[in-house]
Amino acid sequence: MATFEVSDTAVQERRTLTVAALGTMLVLVAFTAPLSTINATAASLHTGVSGTTWILSSMSIGLAAALLSTGTIADDYGRRRTLVIGLLVVAAGSIVGVLIPDVVAFVLTRVVVGVGGAAVIASSLGIIAHTFAPGPARAAASGVWGASVGAGIAIGPLLSAILERVHSWHDAYWVLAVACVILAVAAEGLVPESRSEHRRGLDIPGALLLAGGISALLAALVEGRQGWIEPTVIILFVVAAVVLALFVIVEYRSPTSMLDLALLRSPAFFAATLAAFVAGAGVIALMSYMSGFLGSALGITAIGAALLLFSWSATSVVTALLARRISPRVPGRVQLAVGLIGVAAGLLALTGIGESSGWPRFLPGLIIAGIASGVVNAALGREAVASVPPGRGGMGSGANNTARYVGSAIGVTVVAVIATHPRSGTATAGLIDGWNIAAVVTATISLIGGLVVLLAHTRVRPAAPDPTVGSGPG
């Protein structure tokens, strides 16, 4: 009888992990689908550089704004329910986005897809934290989750490029919608419902302030291309600063704050949150811009650009799966730091590009960055839920991924501003010079972030335990 019980438990764990990982993978497919076809998408929607930047950044806004809230919703009202609703929102947003041939509508639906994706990501890590006990089992499951992030990043651009060549860039979004609906139905039957023993409550003011502050900041960065001392740009920066300051005040004072800012005094939470932000602002930002650059500056086809991106993301998948073999005696902080420093090395190898550079010139740097990204992804999945009190796995994953996508939204915008800034010489030479500068900037961000994460234990005081949080399973 005991043998059957163990076997049934193992089967249930595999099913749950499969659904959680596939859900996360589909969100990353949605996130990266525009990358390889960004030039065709921009042309179809009749938009310029600013519109293109918003297309690349818009889903990050939805993700960043909603991850903390959906993490709380998942913990309080049901992780499976939140996962299913999130998948359906991703499906609906993807369909509506391609039915309306307007760049503003497309950007807005991408924000909606980001909100749905936030629900999927936050609940998936919460489900993993509930299903797998701390230790080797959770570390292995987190490695699979980290690999699903890389898999989604690998599949999205390639799927989009192939379908665009066969018929239209719209097709990837239809395929994504169908896959999300199928997985939502499967989740209802395969994943047990779970929730936290202690409800935290929804922080609507905090969510609105975070979304507003990030949007104002991105708008300021995009409009800053026209001149950094323009009144509109200055006003947007001031609005962003005020709104984000209000967000911090609300989070400190609200009894239902979606983020306990006191956790930032915990070395583990601080390291995981900073590493996620740096990963978004560094490697994800540069990779998001890469496909469009390859087509515009070097004449590499959408499929060729997708395959190059695949060399980075597929390598990260393999590494994330292998990273679960790393000894548990290696602190997560050290694993994150080593991974970020490795990412910096890979991004530096992507500098020095010239007009005669072909696709082989990018491979070494992409593979190095891919290996390091896999190490980071595997550690982030584990540290996101290990660095918060028991029962708050959804909040932990929400905070961690919020940091990643805030970093991504800001990083993509900064990279686009740097890389497309008008320069003397030909347009192609200007784009190439911009790429080389952007690669150095993102490498520097990754290196500094890795060093700060490594030193986090000496710079941050541990947070006092929260007596109001239960110690039962998540």
Side-chain angles (χ1 to χ4, degrees), residues 145-376:
W145 184 89
S148 74
V149 172
I153 294 172
I155 293 170
L158 199 55
L159 174 68
S160 185
I162 292 172
L163 293 177
E164 190 268 337
R165 183 162 185 172
V166 172
H167 183 246
S168 168
W169 62 269
H170 294 149
D171 295 347
Y173 299 94
W174 287 101
V175 171
L176 173 67
V178 172
C180 285
V181 171
I182 291 173
L183 187 62
V185 173
E188 277 290 336
L190 297 177
V191 179
E193 186 60 282
S194 64
R195 55 180 58 84
S196 175
E197 295 179 358
H198 303 273
R199 287 194 174 187
R200 193 178 186 88
L202 189 59
D203 178 18
I204 295 177
L208 294 176
L209 287 170
L210 180 61
I214 294 171
S215 299
L217 178 59
L218 294 182
L221 292 170
V222 172
E223 293 301 318
R225 295 179 66 253
Q226 312 301 324
W228 297 105
I229 59 173
E230 292 291 325
T232 301
V233 176
I234 294 173
I235 291 172
L236 285 170
F237 274 124
V238 171
V239 169
V242 170
V243 173
L244 290 175
L246 287 174
F247 167 74
V248 173
I249 293 171
V250 167
E251 293 308 286
Y252 267 119
R253 294 185 175 181
S254 173
T256 60
S257 62
M258 59 185 179
L259 175 61
D260 182 1
L261 295 178
L263 284 171
L264 290 172
R265 295 199 299 269
S266 161
F269 186 82
F270 175 80
T273 303
L274 177 63
F277 177 87
V278 170
V283 66
I284 294 176
L286 191 66
M287 294 302 102
S288 296
Y289 176 75
M290 186 180 75
S291 294
F293 162 75
L294 292 174
S296 299
L298 301 179
I300 294 176
T301 65
I303 290 182
L307 288 172
L308 276 175
L309 196 60
F310 184 84
S311 68
W312 163 67
S313 51
T315 303
S316 76
V317 173
V318 175
T319 308
L321 290 172
L322 294 176
R324 57 186 174 176
R325 300 178 182 271
I326 295 175
S327 171
R329 289 177 295 190
V330 177
R333 169 181 52 82
V334 173
Q335 187 174 331
L336 289 170
V338 170
L340 290 173
I341 293 170
V343 165
L347 297 183
L348 280 177
L350 295 174
T351 60
I353 301 301
E355 292 188 40
S356 60
S357 298
W359 64 266
R361 173 64 181 78
F362 292 85
L363 274 179
L366 290 171
I367 291 174
I368 293 170
I371 292 171
S373 295
V375 173
V376 172

Side-chain angles (χ1 to χ4, degrees), residues 429-464:
L431 287 173
I432 290 173
D433 288 344
W435 166 269
N436 289 327
I437 295 171
V440 171
V441 169
T442 51
T444 302
I445 291 171
S446 301
L447 177 60
I448 294 174
L451 294 176
V452 174
V453 167
L454 189 62
L455 298 174
H457 69 297
T458 62
R459 296 187 177 189
V460 188
R461 293 186 296 107

